[in-house]
Amino acid sequence: MRILFRHLDPGQSGAVSSMVKMLEAYCLRFPHDQLAVMCMPASPLAGLARLPNCEAILIGRKIPREAHLLGFADIFVRRLHRRCHFDIFWPVNTGLYFPGGPTQVMTVNNPHQVYPVDPLMPHPGSALRVWMLRTLFRRSLCLSAAIIVQTGLMRGLIQAIPGCPELVAVVPKAVVGTQADTHVNLSPHIAVRLAHARNSSKLLYVATAAPHKNHKLLAPVMHEFRRLGLPITLVLTINAEQWVQFAGPDAASLIDSGHIIPLGWVDKDELQGLYQACDASIMPSVTESLSSTHIEAMQWQCPQITSDLPYAHDLCQRAALYAAPHDPTAWCSQVERLLGDSGLRQQLVLRGLERVKDFPPHWTAMAEAIRPVFEAASARSRY
């Protein structure tokens, strides 16, 4: 099977890191399939060209990414298809806008394109950009032979959109490889940063720098813990500049006082040790498809507190505590409750270990769940 995969995010993110792991597992599991990965030059996906059955097609050097999003991609993909005769075109979030191209199976992991518009769930782009993305997504949806989503919640919302194809497959993320260790030590450079918090309880928020991740909620939470003199430190996977950008200038003092440790980007292979070095995971995001943070916390036995929103309940069920995403007082209360009750922490860990059994045990299993979708879509397109 010849597959053209396309993802147009320009750089590093948690979603891209997961895609790298999944595509690598796919190429190794199905060595006779040929995968072409269309991506931006700075994307980690370009590194997949090291695999013998994968090539990278870099875009954005001459034609801007925005031109591809607005329709140039139709021309580009069709030219490639005439030369390579792909069995499947596999885009992420937006695909072709006009009929006549290769069989399209679209992965959808962007809730902004699917969820009802909500002003409390900010998108980093303008309102016009969001409207265009949603409109173009619906054109792509109608031209797809199948859709791959990560949760049942996303499947239900997509199926309610007019023109949605009949085949909408739920394929959740994995978080580990086939040779997963039960315990991993901290990377040395992270251990040095966390050494100053050895006598504090450590909260961990694994998230990229994006408005919907709701970092700003955590500033008043940590200001309150500092005021009360509680030995609690918050570890973030964004850098100091990004923390101040989202949390405000006053939040810089929390770094100076040691209540915030902004690590910056942490590679996926270093996350297990980080989760296991912290006392709790927190996730105040206001919108998600399926955040790796939830399943990573469950997999690596870190009790978690998350937003009291449908996406989080759908994913975590009874394996988390919940707090209103715009109420710092509620978060303070839940953090103090969790850190003060070892029995509750253990209970959430055990529930998380049960819940995570519903997800692929490794990236190879995720790849194995995707290929039948391609086969079904290809068969439907022939008839």
Side-chain angles (χ1 to χ4, degrees), residues 1 87-88 103 145 372-383:
M1 185 175 287
D87 299 291
I88 296 292
T103 300
V373 181
F374 294 159
E375 294 171 349
S378 182
R380 291 182 184 209
S381 296
R382 288 196 297 269
Y383 299 102

Side-chain angles (χ1 to χ4, degrees), residues 201 203 232 279-280 334-342 345:
S201 296
L203 307 176
I232 299 174
D279 299 282
Q334 290 289 53
V335 168
E336 292 186 67
R337 177 189 173 196
L338 184 63
L339 295 180
D341 189 336
S342 61
R345 294 197 299 275

Side-chain angles (χ1 to χ4, degrees), residues 16-182:
V16 172
S17 295
S18 295
M19 287 174 189
V20 170
K21 295 288 188 182
M22 181 270 295
L23 291 173
E24 182 177 36
Y26 187 99
C27 288
L28 295 174
R29 175 63 181 83
F30 302 107
H32 298 298
D33 286 3
Q34 295 295 315
L35 185 68
V37 176
M38 189 186 303
C39 62
M40 306 295 290
S43 172
L45 292 163
L48 291 168
R50 69 184 183 278
L51 302 172
N53 56 335
C54 184
E55 65 171 315
I57 301 171
L58 303 181
I59 62 175
R61 288 173 169 168
K62 296 182 179 179
I63 306 297
R65 170 176 176 263
E66 287 71 22
H68 284 269
L69 289 171
L70 290 173
F72 179 82
D74 280 66
I75 300 171
F76 193 77
V77 168
R78 281 173 172 76
R79 285 179 178 174
L80 283 173
H81 181 49
R82 283 197 295 269
R83 187 172 76 238
C84 301
H85 304 289
F86 293 108
D87 299 291
I88 296 292
F89 176 47
W90 182 12
V92 178
N93 293 322
T94 55
L96 301 175
Y97 305 142
F98 301 97
T103 300
Q104 178 169 278
V105 176
M106 185 163 57
T107 284
V108 181
N109 61 15
N110 185 347
H112 290 289
Q113 297 178 183
V114 178
Y115 285 17
V117 175
D118 186 339
L120 295 179
M121 297 180 180
H123 185 278
S126 65
L128 176 61
R129 180 180 177 84
V130 174
W131 176 84
M132 290 180 65
L133 284 173
R134 290 172 68 90
T135 301
L136 294 173
F137 162 70
R138 280 155 175 74
R139 287 188 64 88
S140 297
L141 186 70
C142 295
L143 295 175
S144 298
I147 302 295
I148 298 173
V149 295
Q150 298 174 316
T151 67
L153 178 62
M154 284 285 281
R155 176 170 62 182
L157 291 168
I158 283 182
Q159 287 176 326
I161 299 174
C164 178
E166 182 179 346
L167 178 55
V168 181
V170 177
V171 183
K173 290 181 187 177
V175 296
V176 297
T178 53
Q179 303 296 324
D181 295 327
T182 56

